[in-house]
Amino acid sequence: MKSNDLPRETVRYPSVNDSIDQHSAGYKRRDFLKIVGATAGAAGLVSVGVGIAPEKAEAFAYEPYFTDDQLTTVVTSCAHNCGSRHVLVAHKKGDVIVRLSTDNGEYQANGAYGKDTFEEPQLRACLRGRSYRARLYSPERLLYPMKRVGARSEHKFKRISWDQALDEIAQKMTQLKKDFGPTALLDQSYAGASYGVLHKSDQIEGLLGRFLGMFGCRTNSWSVPSYQGTTFSSRMTFGTIQDGNEDDTFAHSKLIIMWGWNP
């Protein structure tokens, strides 16, 4: 999908840097220095009383720029797997999210703008969460079922309908169960956004786990694949995964490695 195919509100708007790049793209460094030198020399020849008409200024404001009273507000949360689940507030125009904000105190019990107490602190999202709109409307996001054509190594796909995708998946699942038995389908563990979207998908009470259980063909893996490094190092260091460093050790540490962790 090209940016021109997106709704008006989702297209990336130009910045001042875009203007600079467009005007300077055709110049080499030497040409640029010549122009700057000539401009500086000419400036010394112009008297104070002589006026020079300025170039027309170009604005780079959002178009259109909606005010809060023109938008619908939906309170949700970030789906990234950093463990925070901070508040995200989607400001929508119709079905399009125009911008995202976060907790400002209004969304708590008896909340008010600016409320931020020890008992009820604001759950402010980080920049990663607040940039979720760019991910939601990314031109690289898949919007339709895509079927591989050719060999796996060719990376070629074609768009198919939802009905065709569902039919082919159902036929494949039924055939695998018939040919190889009830252990043929692997329900891989999930985490992060997929865990929330699919409703605790790696647990038997989750939607996907319940569906495969009723289908009578479910083999699931234990825990999260990337979790084994944590469990192994904890066992080797502390003897158990239920123990760890005390908080005051942070103040006395010379090196702290935070791997994929939102502190």
Side-chain angles (χ1 to χ4, degrees):
M1 179 181 290
K2 298 180 180 178
S3 60
N4 293 335
D5 298 329
L6 298 174
R8 177 64 176 176
E9 293 84 356
T10 66
V11 177
R12 186 184 70 84
Y13 298 101
S15 65
V16 176
N17 291 332
D18 294 333
S19 177
I20 295 174
D21 292 340
Q22 292 171 4
H23 291 294
S24 62
Y27 296 119
K28 296 181 179 179
R29 180 175 181 273
R30 181 174 299 177
D31 297 330
F32 176 76
L33 293 176
K34 289 181 180 179
I35 294 173
V36 172
T39 304
L45 301 178
V46 179
S47 62
V48 178
V50 177
I52 300 178
E55 294 184 4
K56 183 179 179 181
E58 296 181 3
F60 296 92
Y62 287 93
E63 297 178 1
Y65 186 85
F66 297 105
T67 57
D68 287 346
D69 59 338
Q70 297 174 302
L71 301 174
T72 303
T73 300
V74 177
V75 181
T76 179
S77 64
C78 185
H80 284 299
N81 193 31
C82 62
S84 300
R85 304 297 187 269
H86 287 147
V87 172
L88 282 181
V89 183
H91 303 266
K92 303 196 308 173
K93 185 65 174 179
D95 293 331
V96 177
I97 297 177
V98 176
R99 63 185 178 86
L100 291 171
S101 62
T102 187
D103 189 6
N104 59 11
E106 294 180 345
Y107 311 104
Q108 305 174 23
N110 302 317
Y113 181 83
K115 178 183 177 182
D116 188 18
T117 64
F118 182 82
E119 293 77 13
E120 292 182 297
Q122 289 184 11
L123 301 178
R124 293 185 290 268
C126 67
L127 293 178
R128 184 186 184 194
R130 296 185 66 171
S131 64
Y132 221 100
R133 181 173 169 269
R135 176 178 177 176
L136 179 64
Y137 295 120
S138 171
E140 297 180 354
R141 181 182 176 186
L142 292 179
L143 301 178
Y144 314 101
M146 304 292 289
K147 181 179 179 179
R148 186 179 72 246
V149 292
R152 288 179 179 269
S153 58
E154 292 179 329
H155 308 293
K156 295 180 179 179
F157 297 86
K158 68 175 182 179
R159 178 179 171 181
I160 60 176
S161 67
W162 289 101
D163 289 339
Q164 180 182 349
L166 290 173
D167 288 342
E168 292 194 15
I169 291 174
Q171 293 171 4
K172 189 68 172 179
M173 290 176 60
T174 303
Q175 189 65 39
L176 288 173
K177 179 182 178 182
K178 178 183 177 180
D179 294 343
F180 303 102
T183 61
L185 296 183
L186 172 64
D187 181 16
Q188 181 60 279
S189 61
Y190 303 87
S194 61
Y195 180 86
V197 171
L198 297 176
H199 184 53
K200 296 190 292 186
S201 51
D202 65 340
Q203 301 180 21
I204 192 61
E205 69 269 22
L207 293 179
L208 184 57
R210 180 170 174 79
F211 164 71
L212 291 175
M214 295 178 69
F215 182 64
C217 192
R218 178 178 189 254
T219 300
N220 69 312
S221 60
W222 179 86
S223 186
V224 181
S226 60
Y227 192 56
Q228 298 310 308
T230 300
T231 57
F232 179 81
S233 60
S234 296
R235 288 193 180 99
M236 294 298 101
T237 306
F238 304 108
T240 173
I241 63 172
Q242 307 299 331
D243 201 354
N245 290 324
E246 298 294 335
D247 291 343
D248 58 2
T249 59
F250 285 103
H252 305 287
S253 299
K254 295 182 180 180
L255 174 63
I256 300 176
I257 300 177
M258 299 179 181
W259 190 340
W261 179 50
N262 180 0

